C-alpha cells in the first residue's frame, strides 16, 4: 500500500510540474512579413533554446506563464518578449539600421560602429568561410577596400597582404595580426577560418597607432568565436574537393624537340644536333604525366560545440585542414583545437581562458619546373644494358644531356619534412569596482617546438654531373617561448545625457625567446627509413646551436568623447621601448588623433531622412613605427668559413655584419579623410577615403663601404631616406529583399601611388633582384630596370642602319632576327647607361566585386578580384624560347621564332649561340602586362531547416579560381614579393617564373547545426 502511495505522490508531483510548463509556438517575420529561418529563440535565464525553421516557425517549452523569450539573429536587433500566459507568440524583428549599433573591435577595446572615428573595415567570419583556403587572408581578397592580397600557391604558402601599399623597402611588408587582443606576429597560417567571429582591418595610423612600433604595415584584429548563453549547440562543417593542376605550357614532343634543336644548331653554323627527327616520332617521354598529378585533394573540416549559462559560457572546436601537393608525396596538414571558457563570478568579476593547441606537418618537392624543362628524348630509367645490378634504388634513373636533373628521381629521393607542435594559452581577469570603470589584465604564453628532418640518399646517375657519393642526414630543432602581459583600466561616463567620454590607460609587456640546435652527419650505412638518424652517421658529424631574445615594453592610452551622437574625437598615445635599439634610441612615441562629424544627426538634415539615412565625415592623423629587423643589429657578427691551402682545409672567420649603435625606429606618419553614407533605408551604403602617408628613417640593410677594408659581403643596418604614398579607397554596397528573393553587391576600389622622396645620399641607387630593379629618388621603389628591346632586326638594311654617327654598328654581333636594343643616351654604344625604367610591379588599381543572391532555400555567392596596371617579369621566356640550352622548348617554337623577314617581331631567331645577348641581357623583352581579372569563388548552396533532426543542414558546391583573364603569358599573374630574408621583399616584387600557381579548385560542402 505504501508503495502505491509513493507512486501516486511522484505522479502528482510530476503532473504539477507539467501543469506549470507551457508550450509556446509562433512565427518570426521581418517588417515585410517575410518569414526568417534560423532565428535563435531562447528562454531567458535558462539554457533552453531552439531555432525557427524555413517558414519562420518555432516551438519551445517554457517553465511558466511569466517566462520571457529572447529572439536574436545576425543583422537584426535582439528582442525580449514576455509570454504573459499566451501559447502563441508571433514576433516581428527589426533590422539593425546599417549595423550602426554593431560592436566592432578596436585596439584594446570594443566600440559601436557608429562611434568609430578612424579608418577601420570589418568583415564577419561567415563571409570568410565561403572559401576553402589554408590561410584565411586569401578569403579577404577583394572584400576590403585598401587591402591588396596576393595569393601564394602551394600547400601552406602564405599570401602577401598589403594595407594601403607598402611603407618600407627592405623589411617584411605584412601587417601585424592581433588575435583576441594578443599580438601574434605577421602570419596566421595556424588559424582556421572556422574559428573566426570577425576580422577588423585598421587601415590608417589613427586606428593602428595604439600598436605603436609594430603597426607601420597596418594591423588586423581577429576575434575568435565564444560561447553564448543557451543549450549546447553543435556544428559540423566539411568542405572537400580537388585542386586541378594542368600543364601551363604545351611543350614540344620528342620529334618537335629534335626539329627545334637542329634549327638552333644549324642557325649558329653547327651540324644538326639530332639528325633525322622522324626517328623520335612516337617516342616522347611524358615527364609531366610521370611525376605530376592532374589533381590533388584538399579538405577542411570543423566540429564544434558551444553554449552555457549566465555564469559560464564555453566554445570548443576541433579543426582539420589537409592540402596535398601535386606530387605523389608531400603536402600540408594542420590540426587545431580551441577551447574557450568565460566565467562571470558576479557583477564585478569575470574571467576567461582559451587554450589553442595545434599540430602541423609540411614538406613537398619544389622542382616541378624540371618536368617541363627536361628534354623529352631522355627516358625516365636507364636502359637495362646500362645497369650492372649494383645500383641502389636511386641510381636506376637516366641522365639528361640538358643538365636538368632527372625530376622523377629527385622526387623519389625527397625527404625533407617539418613537424610543429604548439600550445597557446590566453587568459584574462576583469574587475568592475564601480559603474563605468573596467580594469582588465590579460596574459598569453605560447610554447612551440619545430623539428625539421632531412635526408639526402647517396646515388650515382651520372658520375660526372648527377650524383651524391655519400648520403647525409640532418635534424634541426627550434623552440620558442613567447609571452605577453597587458593591463588596462577604462572609465566611461555619460554627463548631462549628451556628453559621452571614455579614458583608457594601460601597460603591455612582450618577450620573444627562441633557440635552435641541429645535428648533421654523413655516411649512414644504408638509405632505409629506419637508418635516417644523425646517430647512424659514421662521418663528418657536426652540431651547432643558437638562441635569441627580444622584448618590448609599452605604455598606452586612449581618450574618446562624443557629443549627442554628432561630434566625435579620439586620441591615442603609445610609448614603446624595444630591446633592438641602444639606449639613445630605445624609446619612441606614437600619437594619433581623429575626429568625426555625423552630419545626418543634425537638425537641418531631418528633411532628408527618407533618402539619406547616414552621412558621416572622418579625419585622422597618426604615427606608427617599424622595428621588424633582426635582434641586436647594434652588434657586429662574425661568421665561420674555410678555404683550401696546399691541399688542406683551413678554417677561418670573417665579419658578416657590422654594428650600428645609432640605428633607430622606422616611422610612418599618415593623414586620412573619409566620408561614410547610407541611402534609402541603408539599402545603398558605402565609404570614400583619401590618405597620405610618409615613411621616415627607413631601415635598410646596406653593403658596408668597401673603402673600410672589410669584405664586400659585409653588411650594416642603417636608416636611409623617406618614402611617400597616397591613394583612395572606395566601398559601395547595395542590399535588398523582394519577397523570397534577396540580393546584394559590394564593390571595392583601391589606388596606391608610391614614390621615394629621399635616400641617404643624393643620387643614391638601391638595386635589387640581381640589379634588375632600381630604387631612386622620385620614382616608385623596385621598378624594373634594364634595356629597351625595340623589336627584331628584320633584314640587313635594318642592321646597317643601327649605327653611331660614325657608321659603326651599335650591335656588331647582331644578325637578322636578333633583338634591337635602343641607344637611349645617343652616345653610340649600348652599355649600362642605356638602362632605364621598364615597368612597375605595383598596380594602379585593385577592384573587388562580391555578389550574393538567395531565393527561398537556395543561395549563390560569387567573388571576383582584379589587379590593373602592374607589370610582371616573365622569367620563363628564356626557358621556353632560348635555343642555347638543351632543355625542352614550347611546341612549335621553330615557327614562333623569327625565321625570315616579317615572320616575328617578338621571339628572336633560334640559335645555339646568344652572341647578341637576346636572352642574357635583361630588357623589356621580359616585361609583360600583369593585369588580370579572376573569379575567386562561385558557390551554390541549398539549406534545410529543422529537417532530419538538425536545426540546419546546408549542402553546397563551389569552384575557386576557375577563370582568369590576363594577357600575361607566364604561369600565374598573382605574383608576390621577393625573399624578405634577403631584403628583396619589395625590391624583388613582380618577378614571375616557375612559381607554384593558384590552382582551380572544385569542392562540395556540408554544414550541419543541431
Amino acid at each position: 500500500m505504501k508503495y502505491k502511495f509513493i507512486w501516486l505522490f511522484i505522479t502528482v508531483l510530476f503532473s504539477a510540474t507539467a501543469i506549470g510548463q507551457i508550450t509556446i509556438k509562433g512565427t518570426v517575420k521581418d517588417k515585410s512579413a517575410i518569414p526568417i529561418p534560423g532565428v535563435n529563440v531562447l528562454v531567458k535565464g535558462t539554457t533552453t533554446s531552439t531555432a525557427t525553421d524555413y517558414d519562420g516557425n518555432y516551438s519551445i517549452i517554457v517553465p511558466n506563464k511569466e517566462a520571457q523569450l529572447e529572439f536574436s539573429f545576425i543583422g537584426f536587433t535582439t528582442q525580449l518578449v514576455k509570454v504573459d500566459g499566451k501559447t502563441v507568440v508571433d514576433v516581428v524583428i527589426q533590422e539593425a539600421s546599417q549595423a550602426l549599433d554593431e560592436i566592432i573591435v578596436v585596439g584594446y577595446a570594443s566600440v559601436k560602429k557608429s562611434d568609430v572615428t578612424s579608418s577601420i573595415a570589418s568583415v564577419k567570419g561567415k563571409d570568410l568561410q565561403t572559401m576553402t583556403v589554408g590561410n584565411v587572408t586569401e578569403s579577404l581578397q577583394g572584400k576590403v577596400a585598401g587591402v591588396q592580397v596576393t595569393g601564394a600557391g602551394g600547400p601552406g604558402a602564405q599570401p602577401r597582404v598589403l594595407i594601403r601599399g607598402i611603407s618600407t623597402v627592405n623589411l617584411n611588408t605584412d601587417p601585424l595580426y592581433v588575435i583576441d587582443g594578443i599580438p601574434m606576429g605577421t602570419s596566421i597560417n595556424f588559424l582556421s577560418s572556422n574559428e573566426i567571429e570577425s576580422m577588423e582591418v585598421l587601415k590608417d595610423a589613427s586606428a593602428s597607432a595604439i600598436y605603436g612600433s609594430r603597426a607601420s604595415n597596418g594591423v588586423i584584429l581577429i576575434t575568435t568565436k565564444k560561447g553564448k548563453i543557451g543549450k549546447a549547440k553543435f556544428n559540423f562543417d566539411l568542405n572537400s574537393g580537388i585542386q586541378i593542376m594542368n600543364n601551363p605550357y604545351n611543350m614540344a614532343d620528342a620529334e618537335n624537340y629534335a626539329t627545334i634543336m637542329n634549327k638552333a644548331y644549324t642557325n649558329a653554323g653547327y651540324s644538326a644536333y639530332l639528325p633525322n627527327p622522324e626517328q623520335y616520332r612516337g617516342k616522347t617521354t611524358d615527364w609531366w604525366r610521370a611525376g605530376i598529378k592532374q589533381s590533388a585533394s584538399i579538405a577542411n573540416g570543423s566540429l564544434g560545440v558551444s553554449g552555457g549559462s549566465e555564469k559560464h559560457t564555453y566554445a570548443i572546436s576541433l579543426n582539420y585542414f589537409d592540402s596535398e601537393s601535386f606530387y605523389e608525396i608531400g603536402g600540408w596538414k594542420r590540426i587545431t583545437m580551441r577551447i574557450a571558457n568565460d566565467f562571470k563570478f558576479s557583477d564585478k568579476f569575470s574571467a576567461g581562458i582559451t587554450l589553442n593547441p595545434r599540430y602541423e606537418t609540411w614538406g613537398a618537392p619544389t622542382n616541378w619546373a624540371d618536368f617541363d624543362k627536361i628534354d623529352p628524348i631522355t627516358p625516365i630509367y636507364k636502359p637495362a644494358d646500362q645497369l650492372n645490378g649494383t645500383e641502389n634504388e636511386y641510381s636506376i634513373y637516366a641522365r639528361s644531356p640538358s643538365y636538368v636533373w632527372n625530376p622523377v628521381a629527385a622526387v623519389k629521393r625527397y625527404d625533407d619534412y617539418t613537424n610543429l607542435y604548439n600550445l597557446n594559452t590566453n587568459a584574462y581577469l576583469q574587475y568592475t569596482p564601480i559603474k563605468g570603470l573596467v580594469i582588465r589584465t590579460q596574459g598569453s604564453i605560447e610554447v612551440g617546438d619545430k623539428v625539421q628532418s632531412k635526408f639526402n640518399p647517396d646515388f650515382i646517375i651520372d658520375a660526372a654531373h648527377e650524383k651524391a657519393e655519400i648520403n647525409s642526414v640532418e635534424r634541426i630543432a627550434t623552440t620558442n617561448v613567447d609571452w605577453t602581459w597587458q593591463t588596462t583600466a577604462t572609465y566611461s561616463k555619460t554627463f548631462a545625457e549628451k556628453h559621452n567620454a571614455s579614458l583608457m590607460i594601460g601597460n603591455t609587456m612582450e618577450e620573444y625567446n627562441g633557440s635552435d640546435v641541429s645535428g648533421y652527419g654523413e655516411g649512414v650505412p644504408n638509405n632505409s627509413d629506419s637508418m635516417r638518424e644523425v646517430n647512424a652517421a659514421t662521418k663528418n658529424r657536426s652540431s651547432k646551436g643558437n638562441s635569441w631574445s627580444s622584448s618590448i615594453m609599452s605604455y598606452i592610452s586612449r581618450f574618446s568623447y562624443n557629443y549627442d551622437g554628432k561630434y566625435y574625437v579620439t586620441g591615442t598615445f603609445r610609448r614603446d621601448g624595444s630591446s633592438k635599439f641602444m639606449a639613445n634610441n630605445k624609446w619612441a612615441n606614437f600619437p594619433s588623433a581623429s575626429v568625426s562629424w555625423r552630419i545626418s544627426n543634425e537638425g537641418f538634415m531631418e528633411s532628408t531622412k527618407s533618402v539619406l539615412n547616414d552621412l558621416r565625415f572622418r579625419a585622422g592623423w597618426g604615427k606608427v613605427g617599424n622595428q621588424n629587423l633582426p635582434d641586436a643589429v647594434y652588434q657586429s657578427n662574425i661568421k665561420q668559413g674555410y678555404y683550401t691551402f696546399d691541399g688542406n682545409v683551413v678554417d677561418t672567420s670573417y665579419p658578416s655584419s657590422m654594428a650600428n649603435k645609432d640605428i633607430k625606429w622606422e616611422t610612418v606618419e599618415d593623414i586620412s579623410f573619409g566620408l561614410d553614407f547610407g541611402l534609402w533605408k541603408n539599402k545603398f551604403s558605402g565609404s570614400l577615403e583619401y590618405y597620405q602617408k610618409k615613411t621616415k628613417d627607413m631601415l635598410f640593410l646596406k653593403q658596408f663601404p668597401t673603402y673600410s677594408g672589410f669584405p664586400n659581403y659585409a653588411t650594416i643596418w642603417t636608416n636611409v631616406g623617406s618614402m611617400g604614398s597616397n591613394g583612395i579607397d572606395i566601398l559601395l554596397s547595395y542590399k535588398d529583399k523582394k519577397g523570397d528573393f534577396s540580393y546584394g553587391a559590394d564593390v571595392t576600389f583601391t589606388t596606391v601611388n608610391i614614390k621615394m622622396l629621399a635616400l641617404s645620399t643624393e643620387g643614391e641607387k638601391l638595386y635589387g633582384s640581381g640589379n634588375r630593379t632600381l630604387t631612386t629618388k622620385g620614382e616608385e621603389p623596385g621598378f624594373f630596370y634594364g634595356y629597351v628591346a625595340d623589336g627584331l632586326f628584320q633584314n640587313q638594311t635594318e642592321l646597317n642602319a643601327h649605327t653611331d654617327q660614325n657608321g659603326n654598328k651599335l650591335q656588331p654581333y647582331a644578325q637578322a632576327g636578333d633583338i634591337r636594343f635602343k641607344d637611349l643616351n645617343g652616345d653610340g654604344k649600348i652599355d649600362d647607361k642605356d638602362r632605364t625604367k621598364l615597368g612597375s610591379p605595383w598596380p594602379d588599381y585593385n577592384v573587388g566585386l562580391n555578389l550574393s543572391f538567395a531565393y527561398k532555400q537556395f543561395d549563390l555567392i560569387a567573388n571576383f578580384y582584379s589587379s590593373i596596371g602592374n607589370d610582371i617579369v616573365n622569367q620563363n621566356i628564356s626557358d621556353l624560347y632560348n635555343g642555347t640550352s638543351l632543355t625542352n622548348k614550347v611546341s612549335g617554337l621553330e615557327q614562333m621564332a623569327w625565321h625570315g623577314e616579317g615572320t616575328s617581331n617578338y621571339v628572336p631567331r633560334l640559335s645555339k649561340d646568344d652572341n647578341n645577348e637576346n636572352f642574357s641581357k635583361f630588357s623589356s623583352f621580359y616585361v609583360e602586362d600583369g593585369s588580370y581579372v579572376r573569379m575567386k569563388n562561385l558557390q551554390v548552396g541549398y539549406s534545410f531547416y529543422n529537417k532530419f533532426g538538425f536545426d540546419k543542414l546546408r549542402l553546397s558546391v563551389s569552384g575557386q579560381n576557375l577563370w582568369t583573364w590576363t594577357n600575361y603569358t607566364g604561369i600565374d599573374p598573382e605574383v608576390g614579393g621577393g625573399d624578405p630574408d634577403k631584403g628583396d621583399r619589395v625590391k624583388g616584387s613582380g618577378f614571375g617564373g616557375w612559381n607554384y600557381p593558384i590552382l582551380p579548385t572544385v569542392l562540395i560542402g556540408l554544414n550541419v547545426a543541431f
Side-chain angles (χ1 to χ4, degrees):
M1 182 70 182
K2 63 179 180 179
Y3 295 111
K4 291 182 179 180
F5 177 80
I6 292 173
W7 282 113
L8 178 61
F9 176 78
I10 293 174
T11 302
V12 171
L13 179 63
F14 276 90
S15 297
T17 304
I19 290 172
Q21 292 180 338
I22 302 172
T23 299
I24 306 297
K25 296 182 179 180
T27 304
V28 181
K29 299 180 180 180
D30 64 11
K31 63 183 179 180
S32 301
I34 304 298
I36 304 178
V39 176
N40 186 63
V41 185
L42 170 71
V43 180
K44 186 172 176 58
T46 73
T47 60
T48 303
S49 65
T50 187
T52 58
D53 61 17
Y54 172 71
D55 296 317
N57 297 321
Y58 73 93
S59 177
I60 193 169
I61 297 175
V62 300
N64 53 62
K65 63 181 181 180
E66 302 300 327
Q68 293 178 308
L69 296 178
E70 185 178 270
F71 298 83
S72 60
F73 190 63
I74 295 175
F76 291 80
T77 57
T78 299
Q79 288 185 230
L80 192 65
V81 179
K82 289 184 178 181
V83 172
D84 282 337
K86 297 189 292 288
T87 58
V88 176
V89 178
D90 295 328
V91 175
V92 177
I93 60 175
Q94 302 295 319
E95 291 187 56
S97 177
Q98 186 60 17
L100 294 180
D101 292 328
E102 175 188 342
I103 301 298
I104 68 172
V105 178
V106 297
Y108 303 98
S110 298
V111 300
K112 286 184 180 180
K113 189 173 183 179
S114 58
D115 294 345
V116 172
T117 57
S118 303
S119 182
I120 301 177
S122 181
V123 182
K124 295 300 181 185
K126 62 184 181 64
D127 296 325
L128 301 171
Q129 292 160 18
T130 57
M131 290 188 65
T132 299
V133 291
N135 189 301
V136 70
T137 54
E138 192 172 340
S139 298
L140 201 64
Q141 193 177 57
K143 291 184 172 67
V144 177
V147 177
Q148 178 189 348
V149 179
T150 304
Q158 180 180 343
R160 183 175 73 172
V161 179
L162 299 179
I163 299 178
R164 290 183 169 175
I166 59 172
S167 57
T168 185
V169 296
N170 204 70
L171 301 178
N172 196 314
T173 57
D174 293 310
L176 171 68
Y177 294 95
V178 179
I179 300 177
D180 292 332
I182 301 299
M184 299 298 290
T186 58
S187 173
I188 54 170
N189 257 21
F190 59 86
L191 185 66
S192 169
S193 59
N194 297 310
E195 297 175 337
I196 296 177
E197 182 71 27
S198 67
M199 182 182 288
E200 275 76 34
V201 182
L202 312 187
K203 297 192 290 183
D204 68 354
S206 68
S208 59
I210 198 72
Y211 290 101
S213 64
R214 304 174 67 187
S216 65
N217 296 323
V219 179
I220 295 181
L221 309 180
I222 296 174
T223 303
T224 60
K225 294 177 179 178
K226 303 293 184 181
K228 297 179 181 179
I229 297 174
K231 69 177 183 181
K233 289 185 175 296
F234 294 84
N235 63 274
F236 173 73
D237 301 290
L238 176 64
N239 289 277
S240 180
I242 57 171
Q243 302 172 90
I244 303 167
M245 180 59 179
N246 294 316
N247 196 330
Y249 299 113
N250 180 23
M251 304 301 290
D253 62 16
E255 182 181 6
N256 188 214
Y257 169 78
T259 301
I260 292 169
M261 295 313 302
N262 283 349
K263 193 164 188 177
Y265 270 69
T266 57
N267 283 350
Y270 302 109
S271 300
Y273 175 63
L274 296 168
N276 188 21
E278 291 80 5
Q279 65 178 309
Y280 298 104
R281 186 170 299 167
K283 298 180 180 179
T284 300
T285 300
D286 192 342
W287 290 98
W288 187 267
R289 178 165 293 183
I292 304 295
K293 297 187 298 185
Q294 293 183 348
S295 64
S297 68
I298 183 172
N300 185 29
S302 175
L303 176 64
V305 59
S306 64
S309 64
E310 291 184 354
K311 296 294 184 181
H312 171 224
T313 58
Y314 59 89
I316 303 172
S317 65
L318 179 65
N319 304 277
Y320 174 77
F321 187 89
D322 185 3
S323 178
E324 290 185 348
S325 77
F326 49 56
Y327 303 93
E328 291 297 330
I329 59 173
W332 177 44
K333 292 182 181 179
R334 180 187 64 202
I335 301 173
T336 65
M337 191 173 188
R338 184 170 290 269
I339 306 170
N341 286 277
D342 293 275
F343 305 92
K344 186 177 182 180
F345 303 115
S346 68
D347 291 338
K348 294 183 180 295
F349 284 99
S350 60
I353 184 170
T354 300
L355 300 177
N356 185 201
R358 84 176 188 268
Y359 166 74
E360 292 181 58
T361 181
W362 66 87
T366 58
N367 67 328
W368 73 275
D370 292 343
F371 288 89
D372 267 347
K373 291 164 66 175
I374 192 169
D375 72 85
I377 292 176
T378 299
I380 297 174
Y381 299 98
K382 291 177 180 177
D385 59 2
Q386 295 183 17
L387 300 174
N388 57 29
T390 63
E391 298 87 357
N392 66 16
E393 60 180 310
Y394 304 109
S395 303
I396 59 176
Y397 297 90
R399 171 190 175 264
S400 168
S402 67
Y403 293 99
V404 175
W405 281 27
N406 188 309
V408 174
V411 171
K412 183 69 174 179
R413 295 192 303 270
Y414 182 85
D415 187 354
D416 185 352
Y417 297 98
T418 300
N419 293 301
L420 173 68
Y421 307 86
N422 187 279
L423 175 63
N424 177 271
T425 304
N426 182 356
Y428 73 89
L429 176 64
Q430 187 166 294
Y431 175 49
T432 307
I434 60 174
K435 183 179 179 180
L437 177 61
V438 178
I439 301 172
R440 181 185 178 97
T441 186
Q442 182 174 359
S444 171
I445 185 167
E446 181 174 81
V447 179
D449 282 300
K450 182 174 69 173
V451 180
Q452 182 181 11
S453 299
K454 300 190 229 180
F455 182 79
N456 296 306
D458 56 289
F459 69 97
I460 298 178
I461 291 176
D462 177 73
H465 302 288
E466 194 169 347
K467 64 176 180 177
E469 294 182 341
I470 189 170
N471 60 27
S472 64
V473 61
E474 184 175 13
R475 183 159 296 161
I476 306 169
T478 305
T479 300
N480 72 282
V481 179
D482 308 326
W483 62 266
T484 67
W485 185 19
Q486 54 197 36
T487 302
T488 60
T490 305
Y491 183 69
S492 303
K493 181 73 173 178
T494 298
F495 304 92
E497 297 184 353
K498 293 186 178 182
H499 300 270
N500 305 283
S502 178
L503 174 65
M504 182 271 289
I505 59 174
N507 167 255
T508 73
M509 292 178 285
E510 306 171 31
E511 185 172 279
Y512 303 91
N513 303 283
S515 63
D516 61 22
V517 63
S518 65
Y520 174 85
E522 297 175 345
V524 176
N526 59 62
N527 294 324
S528 65
D529 292 344
S530 60
M531 295 295 289
R532 299 183 179 190
E533 303 288 347
V534 175
N535 274 354
T538 60
K539 298 179 180 179
N540 300 327
R541 283 192 186 181
S542 64
S543 62
K544 59 183 178 180
N546 195 15
S547 61
W548 54 91
S549 179
S550 66
S551 59
I552 303 174
M553 174 176 279
S554 309
Y555 300 95
I556 58 176
S557 63
R558 175 193 288 111
F559 174 76
S560 61
Y561 168 81
N562 81 78
Y563 172 74
D564 199 21
K566 298 177 184 179
Y567 315 111
Y568 298 80
V569 61
T570 302
T572 69
F573 181 82
R574 177 164 178 145
R575 180 168 173 80
D576 275 352
S578 172
S579 65
K580 295 185 177 183
F581 303 96
M582 294 293 285
N584 291 341
N585 296 313
K586 187 175 292 293
W587 291 90
N589 301 323
F590 302 99
S592 78
S594 57
V595 297
S596 176
W597 176 27
R598 187 170 296 284
I599 306 170
S600 55
N601 281 3
E602 296 287 359
F604 60 79
M605 296 292 292
E606 192 65 31
S607 61
T608 67
K609 287 290 187 181
S610 60
V611 176
L612 183 61
N613 312 112
D614 183 41
L615 182 64
R616 178 172 53 157
F617 172 77
R618 294 180 281 106
W621 165 89
K623 287 185 177 181
V624 288
N626 193 341
Q627 53 108 45
N628 188 24
L629 71 170
D631 300 329
V633 298
Y634 49 77
Q635 296 177 349
S636 297
N637 291 313
I638 301 295
K639 279 192 174 181
Q640 293 180 323
Y642 66 90
Y643 64 92
T644 304
F645 178 75
D646 196 24
N648 297 315
V649 176
V650 180
D651 292 327
T652 185
S653 299
Y654 61 91
S656 61
S657 62
M658 309 308 298
N660 183 355
K661 299 183 182 300
D662 296 322
I663 195 80
K664 59 183 178 180
W665 309 89
E666 184 176 276
T667 303
V668 179
E669 180 177 2
D670 82 8
I671 185 170
S672 64
F673 303 92
L675 187 69
D676 306 317
F677 63 88
L679 299 168
W680 304 300
K681 297 182 181 180
N682 293 311
K683 291 180 181 179
F684 181 52
S685 62
S687 65
L688 171 65
E689 300 180 70
Y690 172 79
Y691 67 90
Q692 288 183 341
K693 60 182 180 179
K694 181 179 180 180
T695 306
K696 297 182 292 185
D697 299 319
M698 287 188 302
L699 291 166
F700 199 86
L701 183 64
K702 296 182 65 175
Q703 178 181 317
F704 206 70
T706 53
Y707 59 75
S708 65
F710 288 100
N712 59 9
Y713 40 75
T715 57
I716 183 171
W717 280 96
T718 186
N719 296 99
V720 298
S722 60
M723 178 172 63
S725 64
N726 63 75
I728 60 172
D729 303 339
I730 298 175
L731 168 64
L732 301 175
S733 177
Y734 187 84
K735 291 177 172 59
D736 200 3
K737 189 172 185 180
K738 302 292 185 183
D740 290 332
F741 180 64
S742 61
Y743 56 95
D746 294 333
V747 177
T748 61
F749 179 84
T750 301
T751 71
V752 181
N753 305 296
I754 314 167
K755 183 180 292 186
M756 296 301 302
L757 301 178
L759 291 168
S760 55
T761 59
E762 190 65 30
E764 184 175 15
K765 296 181 178 181
L766 303 177
Y767 293 94
S769 194
N771 288 344
R772 294 177 296 175
T773 70
L774 182 62
T775 300
T776 61
K777 179 181 177 181
E779 296 283 354
E780 69 266 44
F783 63 81
F784 304 132
Y785 185 69
Y787 298 90
V788 176
D790 187 23
L792 305 180
F793 293 110
Q794 296 295 326
N795 49 50
Q796 190 62 41
T797 301
E798 293 186 3
L799 285 164
N800 295 337
H802 195 52
T803 60
D804 63 14
Q805 58 185 1
N806 299 319
N808 299 313
K809 290 185 177 181
L810 296 179
Q811 295 173 233
Y813 299 106
Q815 299 182 33
D818 284 334
I819 292 177
R820 177 173 45 237
F821 298 106
K822 281 190 176 182
D823 176 19
L824 294 181
N825 64 352
D827 64 355
K829 53 187 176 181
I830 306 295
D831 59 15
D832 192 65
K833 296 178 181 178
D834 294 305
R835 294 206 293 164
T836 188
K837 181 179 179 179
L838 303 177
S840 171
W842 313 114
D844 297 324
Y845 316 104
N846 289 111
V847 182
L849 174 62
N850 305 289
L851 305 174
S852 61
F853 305 91
Y855 178 72
K856 293 187 176 180
Q857 291 160 273
F858 287 96
D859 62 83
L860 183 146
I861 298 169
N863 308 115
F864 299 85
Y865 183 73
S866 177
S867 177
I868 302 170
N870 60 296
D871 299 299
I872 299 176
V873 174
N874 185 357
Q875 301 179 102
N876 289 356
I877 283 176
S878 180
D879 290 326
L880 301 175
Y881 303 145
N882 189 356
T884 61
S885 70
L886 296 178
T887 58
N888 201 7
K889 310 293 184 282
V890 292
S891 179
L893 178 59
E894 75 281 6
Q895 295 299 317
M896 296 168 57
W898 187 94
H899 54 280
E901 187 171 348
T903 55
S904 175
N905 199 38
Y906 173 65
V907 181
R909 66 188 181 93
L910 272 170
S911 177
K912 176 60 179 170
D913 298 327
D914 189 20
N915 296 328
N916 189 56
E917 298 182 289
N918 295 323
F919 295 94
S920 59
K921 193 187 293 290
F922 180 64
S923 71
S924 57
F925 175 49
Y926 286 97
V927 181
E928 299 182 4
D929 178 12
S931 302
Y932 71 91
V933 178
R934 170 166 281 169
M935 184 175 71
K936 291 297 300 180
N937 188 31
L938 180 64
Q939 185 180 93
V940 179
Y942 185 85
S943 299
F944 299 90
Y945 295 94
N946 290 328
K947 299 287 187 181
F948 316 113
F950 301 115
D951 293 336
K952 180 180 178 181
L953 185 150
R954 181 174 181 268
L955 302 173
S956 63
V957 178
S958 60
Q960 298 175 184
N961 309 303
L962 295 182
W963 173 82
T964 303
W965 177 88
T966 183
N967 289 325
Y968 176 61
T969 63
I971 302 293
D972 193 316
E974 280 203 58
V975 176
D979 188 349
D981 294 332
K982 297 179 180 178
D984 256 5
R985 187 63 163 170
V986 171
K987 297 186 281 78
S989 287
F991 282 82
W994 296 96
N995 48 297
Y996 201 114
I998 307 295
L999 298 177
T1001 306
V1002 178
L1003 302 118
I1004 58 173
L1006 172 67
N1007 309 99
V1008 177
F1010 56 95

